[in-house]
Amino acid sequence: MYLTRFRFNTNSSGGRRLLSSPQVLHAAVMGCFPEMLPSESGGPRVLWRVDRNARAEVFLYVVSPTRPLMDHLAEQAGWKDLDDPDRVWKSHDYAGFLDRLAEGQTWGFRLTANPVHSIRRKDGEPTKVTAHVTPRHQAGWLLQRQDACGFAIVRKNPDQRLLPGEDEYELTVHDRNAAGFDKPDPRSERQGKRMRVPIVRATFDGRLTVTDPDALRRVLSSGLGRAKAYGCGLMTLAPVEDRR
């Protein structure tokens, strides 16, 4: 397994084009793995996520079973004049990091996900996948999955909570959007008609404690939730000081 970070040149037309469409960026990411055929299914998945830290500081993170070849991506959407190529993109061994996860460790985390649930509007009606759209419900979506995913989001001390009875966890929800893309409508008989594919995304930042290392390894390598092909599901960890 590899974890790769790529820095976009947001001043380039190629960079702006890729960042404007999750469908186009998905194709560009998969183009970094020439040995993976489009028809292949099963096995380890390629996960990716875009972090927009600032206007000129936009990073692509990729977790993959093999090392990606990003030369074409760097040519199209990276910084070509940097003396240090590692500032454009660099891959790290991820398997070793995953192997060192242990119960009781505390980490900072970031996850961009597609928080959805299935609802039935009336009896007898088929269920429909519907997105959570408020920060409260989006946070609840993640909290409902923490036990099965091998982690527990750290609870705040009572004196750190801003609202009594709320604000219980070290968890923030931000960069909420309903980005999507258009694709040919298979239901239409009219040639050229397109349909909108909405993707509600939310980014979660916080701190977690490892409760089941094997389950957490599966999440980190296989993703969490839906829309993984379109920049959702990738969780990454970072060292933090445990303030408890």
Side-chain angles (χ1 to χ4, degrees), residues 61-115:
Y61 288 89
V62 179
V63 166
S64 56
T66 58
R67 188 189 298 271
L69 301 176
M70 290 192 166
D71 293 331
H72 73 288
L73 196 60
E75 179 68 23
Q76 180 181 2
W79 295 90
K80 304 180 182 63
D81 299 327
L82 294 177
D83 294 331
D84 183 2
D86 286 347
R87 292 181 62 191
V88 181
W89 66 277
K90 187 174 183 179
S91 294
H92 303 271
D93 171 46
Y94 204 40
F97 171 78
L98 296 177
D99 289 342
R100 292 191 295 273
L101 290 176
E103 184 177 353
Q105 292 175 340
T106 299
W107 296 91
F109 74 88
R110 172 166 289 183
L111 164 70
T112 294
N114 172 225

Side-chain angles (χ1 to χ4, degrees), residues 148-167:
C149 291
F151 62 87
I153 297 177
V154 175
R155 293 176 182 266
K156 290 182 178 179
N157 293 324
D159 59 355
Q160 295 177 318
R161 300 174 189 173
L162 300 178
L163 297 174
E166 299 183 21
D167 193 32

Side-chain angles (χ1 to χ4, degrees), residues 221-232:
S221 58
S222 299
L224 176 58
R226 292 172 174 255
K228 296 183 181 71
Y230 303 114
C232 298

Side-chain angles (χ1 to χ4, degrees), residues 181-236:
F181 58 91
D182 295 325
K183 71 174 185 178
D185 189 348
R187 301 167 299 180
S188 175
E189 297 180 356
R190 190 177 72 185
Q191 187 175 8
K193 183 175 176 59
R194 301 179 71 81
M195 61 181 290
R196 186 67 176 172
V197 180
I199 302 175
V200 172
R201 290 184 293 195
T203 297
F204 304 86
D205 285 342
R207 290 201 306 154
L208 61 78
T209 299
V210 181
T211 58
D212 183 340
D214 289 336
L216 183 55
R217 288 186 192 102
R218 287 192 294 270
V219 169
L220 295 176
S221 58
S222 299
L224 176 58
R226 292 172 174 255
K228 296 183 181 71
Y230 303 114
C232 298
L234 174 56
M235 173 184 279
T236 52

